[in-house]
């Protein structure tokens, strides 16, 4: 409900994939925040390149969350200093207007070590951003919910209304 959508693009050498699996790289939703942070450092250290892309709240509200997510992915890929031969895309939608070959993968973060690694890097980067924003917006309990629609976050919306970083296209943010 709050903040930009963030994606990462990581190019990983084949020889580090087994090591990343043995270190615990997997679907970021199955990892603790501490494990994700530790693994993000490891992933960045062994990656050929790793870049972040984001789409703003305004873009999310204008395009919809899916299209904004694809835009964030495209931005991350286009920032890479090394052009990949193939982009593995989490989900069933190809990234529009990308001249690089793509392979979509439903539940990619649980099926592909490369997608899982990118997901971890993106989640850690976004969580760190939200923690910095929580200082300015303590009324939404962002430190604990990272922008998701928890009870305390919804209570903050009821009491204080939406901030400029709330996604007004999301129904809980329309009531305020």
């Amino acid at each position: 409900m709050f903040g930009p959508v963030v994606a990462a693009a990581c190019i990983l050498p084949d020889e580090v994939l087994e090591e990343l699996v043995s270190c615990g790289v997997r679907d970021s939703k199955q990892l603790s925040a501490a494990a994700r942070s530790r693994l993000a450092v490891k992933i960045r250290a062994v990656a050929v390149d790793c870049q972040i892309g984001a789409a703003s709240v305004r873009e999310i509200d204008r395009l919809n969350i899916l299209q904004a997510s694809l835009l964030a992915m495209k931005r991350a890929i286009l920032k890479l200093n090394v052009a990949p031969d193939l982009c593995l895309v989490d989900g069933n939608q190809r990234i529009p207007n990308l001249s690089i070959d793509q392979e979509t993968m439903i539940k990619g973060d649980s099926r592909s070590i490369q997608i899982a690694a990118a997901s971890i890097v993106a989640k850690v980067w976004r969580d760190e951003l939200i923690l910095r924003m929580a200082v300015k917006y303590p009324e939404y309990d962002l430190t604990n919910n990272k922008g998701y629609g928890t009870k305390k976050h919804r209570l903050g919306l009821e009491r204080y209304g939406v901030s400029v970083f709330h996604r007004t296209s999301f129904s809980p943010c329309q009531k305020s």
Side-chain angles (χ1 to χ4, degrees), residues 104-123:
T104 59
M105 197 175 295
I106 295 169
K107 297 190 180 196
D109 48 2
S110 61
R111 297 175 52 210
S112 162
I113 191 70
Q114 294 92 337
I115 291 175
S119 175
I120 289 167
V121 170
K123 179 140 181 60

Side-chain angles (χ1 to χ4, degrees), residues 1-173:
M1 295 189 332
F2 183 96
V5 62
V6 174
C10 297
I11 299 177
L12 302 171
D14 289 340
E15 59 270 16
V16 304
L17 299 181
E18 281 186 39
E19 178 187 355
L20 291 176
V21 170
S22 67
C23 289
V25 171
R26 60 181 185 272
D27 183 346
S28 66
K29 296 179 287 301
Q30 298 175 355
L31 299 168
S32 69
R36 281 192 302 267
S37 292
R38 176 183 55 80
L39 290 169
V41 171
K42 174 73 174 173
I43 293 161
R44 286 182 174 277
V46 300
V48 172
D49 197 2
C50 194
Q51 298 293 331
I52 295 291
S56 71
V57 170
R58 281 187 180 171
E59 289 170 320
I60 294 166
D61 289 340
R62 182 171 47 87
L63 299 171
N64 74 43
I65 188 63
L66 172 61
Q67 294 306 313
S69 297
L70 293 169
L71 178 60
M73 290 178 199
K74 183 176 182 179
R75 287 174 174 163
I77 293 163
L78 294 177
K79 283 184 182 178
L80 290 167
N81 296 307
V82 177
D85 297 323
L86 175 69
C87 290
L88 301 177
V89 182
D90 190 15
N92 64 0
Q93 301 284 317
R94 293 171 51 83
I95 299 168
N97 305 312
L98 186 67
S99 60
I100 301 166
D101 286 340
Q102 301 176 52
E103 181 181 327
T104 59
M105 197 175 295
I106 295 169
K107 297 190 180 196
D109 48 2
S110 61
R111 297 175 52 210
S112 162
I113 191 70
Q114 294 92 337
I115 291 175
S119 175
I120 289 167
V121 170
K123 179 140 181 60
V124 168
W125 192 93
R126 186 183 186 283
D127 285 354
E128 289 172 355
L129 171 67
I130 298 300
L131 288 176
R132 290 191 303 273
M133 296 173 88
V135 175
K136 187 172 180 182
Y137 298 98
E139 59 272 21
Y140 303 112
D141 194 40
L142 299 170
T143 301
N144 294 309
N145 64 48
K146 308 299 186 289
Y148 288 94
T150 62
K151 188 175 182 178
K152 283 187 177 180
H153 193 162
R154 289 172 189 263
L155 186 60
L157 282 171
E158 287 175 25
R159 287 187 180 159
Y160 303 100
V162 296
S163 74
V164 295
F165 294 106
H166 278 94
R167 301 171 181 178
T168 56
S169 59
F170 284 45
S171 59
C173 301

